[in-house]
Amino acid sequence: MSGTTAAGWLDGDVAFITGGGSGIGKAVAERYLAEGASVVIFGRDKDKLQAVVESTGQEERILGVAGDVRDPESLHDAIAQTVARFGKLDILVPNAGIWDYNRSVTRLDGADLGAAFDELFAINVKGYLLTVEAAWRELVKTRGNIVMTLSNASFYTAGGGAVYTASKFACRGLLNQLAYELAPKVRVNGVAVGAMNTDLRGPESIGLRDRSISGSFARSEITGNNPLIPLHDSSIEPKDFTGPYVLLASKTNSGNITGNIVQADGGIGVRGFGDRAAGGDHL
Ligand SMILES: NC(=O)c1ccc[n+]([C@@H]2O[C@H](COP(=O)([O-])OP(=O)(O)OC[C@H]3O[C@@H](n4cnc5c(N)ncnc54)[C@H](O)[C@@H]3O)[C@@H](O)[C@H]2O)c1
């Protein structure tokens, strides 16, 4: 598809995606480009962002901005760069996050649990809130919308340890409250993705910053958490979760939808959560 003649569900829109240097954020950026949007990807690793920008071959419609979602100043600066480069902001995707690698309350002492909580909540929850704070004024101008990445852990146990699960439930609370506060000018929705093959890292404070999902688990362990695999035409690659992000971001196709969450997890609510749901002994 050529850069300027693209026609799609997001034709002419401008999107800002945190954590767009890898995983689902990168896949959503690529999909939004294909749907006709211009995209800014924000993340803490400058090289990763630049590699994504170059890999698209569409530098005129994608910009990488390095920064940390815990830092309001860098978020405000990135939104200002977005508007300077592309003229406006229509779609915001709060997505940057880390995981706790299933550290249950019985596996960490109080000091480590507290440190993991502070770091993980600062990125996963405060980061989403600060991202919205930096962007809402521009979204009001365009009658834009927000599509948050949520998780199966926003609804169910066994998608992480207590810290991660609490953070993703908290994001659901943010989504509801922000949909209320920003209506009727800005819609706020979410996609609760299930297990994906990504670069998802853990808290630096407990030595897990360099672990990644794709490097730590066999593919079968990740697919095992998706009840639709292998009997349906589904997959654990991030690109296969991007459809709902397009739908919810589309002014034409979701103009009446706010405060809603699409659960793209293979049906955990009706089929259960693979082997882990059987429990195991955490004590
Ligand atoms: N991978 C899964 O199985 C899965 C399942 C459910 C939900 N999620 C959620 O998906 C979202 C994206 O994760 P992913 O799986 O694509 O992992 P990922 O690591 O590939 O992507 C996350 C991105 O966020 C960036 N990031 C992390 N901390 C940051 C910070 N402080 N400031 C700026 N950027 C930061 C990372 O550099 C990375 O590029 C997360 O919110 C995660 O909780 C993932």
Side-chain angles (χ1 to χ4, degrees):
M1 185 181 297
S2 87
T4 49
T5 56
W9 277 25
L10 307 178
D11 206 14
D13 283 349
V14 177
F16 181 95
I17 303 170
T18 69
S22 56
I24 184 67
K26 171 176 178 272
V28 170
E30 291 166 347
R31 185 73 197 275
Y32 279 7
L33 278 178
E35 294 292 341
S38 297
V39 181
V40 175
I41 50 174
F42 177 89
R44 58 183 175 182
D45 187 330
K46 200 174 173 195
D47 294 340
K48 255 163 77 167
L49 296 172
Q50 192 50 34
V52 175
V53 167
E54 284 167 19
S55 72
T56 65
Q58 303 197 50
E59 277 98 327
E60 73 285 2
R61 285 203 289 131
I62 180 167
L63 172 71
V65 179
D68 195 299
V69 292
R70 291 167 287 189
D71 175 14
E73 213 173 297
S74 72
L75 285 163
H76 274 267
D77 179 59
I79 295 294
Q81 286 192 52
T82 304
V83 176
R85 170 77 184 269
F86 296 118
K88 60 173 182 159
L89 177 67
D90 301 281
I91 304 160
L92 183 76
V93 182
N95 165 77
I98 58 172
W99 191 44
D100 65 2
Y101 281 82
N102 291 324
R103 292 298 185 272
S104 88
V105 70
T106 58
R107 280 182 74 186
L108 294 176
D109 63 23
D112 280 350
L113 198 56
F117 180 97
D118 289 346
E119 184 180 348
L120 196 142
F121 263 69
I123 296 173
N124 288 15
V125 186
K126 187 170 76 178
Y128 275 27
L129 184 59
L130 294 180
T131 300
V132 173
E133 190 285 320
W136 70 264
R137 295 162 194 81
E138 294 301 329
L139 293 172
V140 164
K141 289 181 196 164
T142 57
R143 300 295 186 263
N145 69 84
I146 299 170
V147 185
M148 287 183 182
T149 295
L150 299 184
S151 169
N152 50 277
S154 300
F155 292 86
Y156 312 113
T157 57
V163 172
Y164 183 76
T165 304
S167 81
K168 290 297 170 182
F169 266 75
C171 290
R172 228 174 118 189
L174 277 183
L175 186 151
N176 278 2
Q177 181 65 24
L178 293 170
Y180 167 72
E181 291 184 12
L182 298 178
K185 293 180 178 162
V186 178
R187 298 184 297 106
V188 185
N189 295 294
V191 184
V193 290
M196 299 176 293
N197 189 24
T198 71
D199 196 30
L200 191 60
R201 306 296 177 96
E204 186 173 13
S205 54
I206 55 169
L208 295 173
R209 170 145 182 180
D210 292 330
R211 276 197 74 173
S212 86
I213 292 224
S214 54
S216 302
F217 297 98
R219 219 187 140 71
S220 59
E221 290 178 282
I222 306 175
T223 55
N225 290 325
N226 183 325
L228 285 183
I229 293 174
L231 297 175
H232 193 78
D233 187 18
S234 49
S235 145
I236 55 162
E237 294 311 317
K239 69 177 171 46
D240 298 301
F241 293 79
T242 56
Y245 288 85
V246 175
L247 172 70
L248 293 171
S250 164
K251 291 174 184 172
T252 310
N253 296 292
S254 291
N256 287 310
I257 302 177
T258 195
N260 233 296
I261 301 169
V262 173
Q263 291 180 259
D265 61 12
I268 291 169
V270 289
R271 292 281 292 182
F273 193 10
D275 297 339
R276 288 178 52 74
D281 190 347
H282 291 287
L283 296 174

